[in-house]
Amino acid sequence: MKFTSTDAYVATEDLTVAVNAAVTLERPLLVKGEPGTGKTELARQVASSMGLDMIEWHVKSTTRAQQGLYEYDAVSRLRDSQLGDPRVQDVGNYIRRGKLWEAFTTSERVVLLIDEIDKADIEFPNDLLQELDRMEFHVYETGETVKARHRPIIIITSNNEKELPDAFLRRCFFHYIRFPDMATMRKIVEVHHPGIKDTLLTVALTQFYELREQQGLKKKPSTSEVLDWLKLLLAEDLTAEDLRKDGAGALPRLHGALLKNEQDVHLFERLAFMARAGR
C-alpha cells in the first residue's frame, strides 16, 4: 500500500515520500510544522488513502505515557471490595485500555495518530521508546503481555513547543511540512473551494502572502486560516476589485479570520495610518 494525495488532501512529493518511507521502515513518522499546516489531517488522509481505520490519541499537558498503554483503577476496586462486589476477584475489570493497547489488538492494521506530542512532559516520548520499538508491553496487574497483532502505521505530530529527546528522534522518520508556496496553495484551495474565480484567488493569495511576510507579525496565519478567510470572502460575494480597493498596509477584509491577536491588528492599523499620512 502506498500513500498518495486524496480528493480532500494535497500532499507534496516530499511528504508522500516521507510517509511511504516510514511505512517501509516500520518507523513512526514524526511530522513537524507550523500549526494549521495539516499535520493532524495528514494522519486521517493516510488512513483514507490506504483504506485503514484510524485511532487518535490527542496529547495534553497532563497526559502521561502510561495512559496510552492502560490505567489501573485501584480506587474503584477498593470501593467495590468494601461493597462486596464479586467483580473485585478479577483485576481485569479495573484495567482501562489505552490507545496503544487498542491499536495493538485490532483485527486489522490501523493508523495510530499521536497528536501534539510536544505538549506533554519531556519524559513522555522516552517513556514510550520500548513499547514503540518492540510493539509490546507488559500489564503488571494481570501478568499478561500485550503484543501488536499488526504493526500500526504511527504518525506523531509536533508543533515544536519543546525539543524532543535524541533517543526518541533516532527511532522516528522525520519530516517537516514547509508552508505551501502559492502554486501548492492554489491546489489546496481548489480542493476546498472548487470553482473559485481565478482573479479573486490571485488577489486574495497575493494579499495573504504579503501579510504573512510582514515584519513584526507575532502569529503568521496558517493554511486553515486562509481557507476560512476565502470561505468568508465567497460568502460575502466579494470580488477581486473589492480587495484591490484596500490600500497598502491596510487591514485585509474580514481580517479576524487571519489575525488572531491584538498586537498584529495594531501593527496593521499603524501601517495603514502611516500609508495614509504619506499620501
Side-chain angles (χ1 to χ4, degrees):
M1 294 185 293
K2 294 288 186 180
F3 169 66
T4 59
S5 292
T6 68
D7 292 340
Y9 191 87
V10 176
T12 58
E13 183 178 355
D14 59 341
L15 177 57
T16 302
V17 169
V19 172
N20 291 320
V23 173
T24 300
L25 292 173
E26 297 186 331
R27 296 275 190 179
L29 174 63
L30 174 61
V31 184
K32 291 187 178 183
E34 292 181 33
T37 49
K39 300 185 297 297
T40 302
E41 186 61 24
L42 170 65
R44 300 188 180 114
Q45 296 304 323
V46 169
S48 174
S49 174
M50 295 184 170
L52 304 176
D53 290 332
M54 190 175 91
I55 296 173
E56 301 185 32
W57 184 13
H58 297 285
V59 177
K60 302 178 182 179
S61 60
T62 56
T63 303
R64 295 176 293 106
Q66 180 65 32
Q67 292 172 307
L69 308 179
Y70 70 92
E71 291 184 280
Y72 170 50
D73 191 353
V75 174
S76 292
R77 192 181 188 200
L78 175 61
R79 184 187 63 241
D80 289 347
S81 68
Q82 293 171 338
L83 297 174
D85 192 324
R87 295 175 69 250
V88 300
Q89 302 304 318
D90 183 2
V91 69
N93 291 324
Y94 303 91
I95 300 292
R96 297 175 183 171
R97 297 185 177 190
K99 297 296 184 180
L100 259 70
W101 189 326
E102 187 180 342
F104 283 4
T105 55
T106 52
S107 58
E108 302 288 342
R109 194 181 197 186
V110 297
V111 173
L112 172 63
L113 168 65
I114 304 178
D115 199 29
E116 298 188 328
I117 194 172
D118 52 326
K119 279 188 175 180
D121 183 84
I122 190 62
E123 290 304 318
F124 181 93
N126 281 335
D127 291 343
L128 291 176
L129 289 180
Q130 182 172 325
E131 289 74 17
L132 295 181
D133 254 358
R134 299 184 179 181
M135 286 286 124
E136 66 178 43
F137 61 88
H138 187 69
V139 183
Y140 297 98
E141 289 77 8
T142 64
E144 65 181 307
T145 297
V146 178
K147 297 184 178 182
R149 297 174 63 182
H150 306 278
R151 179 181 286 269
I153 296 172
I154 301 175
I155 297 179
I156 303 170
T157 71
S158 169
N159 286 327
N160 257 346
E161 291 186 9
K162 63 170 69 80
E163 288 296 320
L164 299 174
D166 288 345
F168 179 79
L169 294 175
R170 284 197 301 272
R171 288 164 169 82
C172 298
F173 190 93
F174 173 77
H175 182 75
Y176 183 84
I177 297 183
R178 295 178 177 84
F179 195 82
D181 58 23
M182 191 175 293
T184 303
M185 186 65 80
R186 281 179 171 274
K187 296 177 183 178
I188 294 171
V189 171
E190 184 60 33
V191 166
H192 294 270
H193 303 299
I196 187 172
K197 291 182 179 178
D198 187 66
T199 52
L200 173 62
L201 181 57
T202 298
V203 174
L205 289 184
T206 298
Q207 290 187 357
F208 170 73
Y209 279 95
E210 287 175 351
L211 185 149
R212 269 187 59 88
E213 293 165 7
Q214 177 60 53
Q215 293 294 320
L217 202 63
K218 184 175 181 181
K219 182 195 177 301
K220 294 182 178 182
S222 66
T223 304
S224 61
E225 288 158 343
V226 74
L227 293 174
D228 286 346
W229 185 52
L230 289 167
K231 182 177 181 179
L232 290 174
L233 297 181
L234 292 170
E236 294 294 324
D237 200 24
L238 295 175
T239 66
E241 189 57 36
D242 291 326
L243 297 185
R244 288 193 187 103
K245 291 176 183 177
D246 298 328
L251 279 166
R253 300 286 183 101
L254 302 164
H255 62 269
L258 299 174
L259 302 176
K260 298 303 176 78
N261 60 68
E262 63 276 16
Q263 294 98 317
D264 290 342
V265 172
H266 292 333
L267 171 64
F268 276 86
E269 287 175 340
R270 289 195 300 272
L271 291 173
F273 175 78
M274 292 167 62
R276 288 193 299 268
R279 290 173 186 170

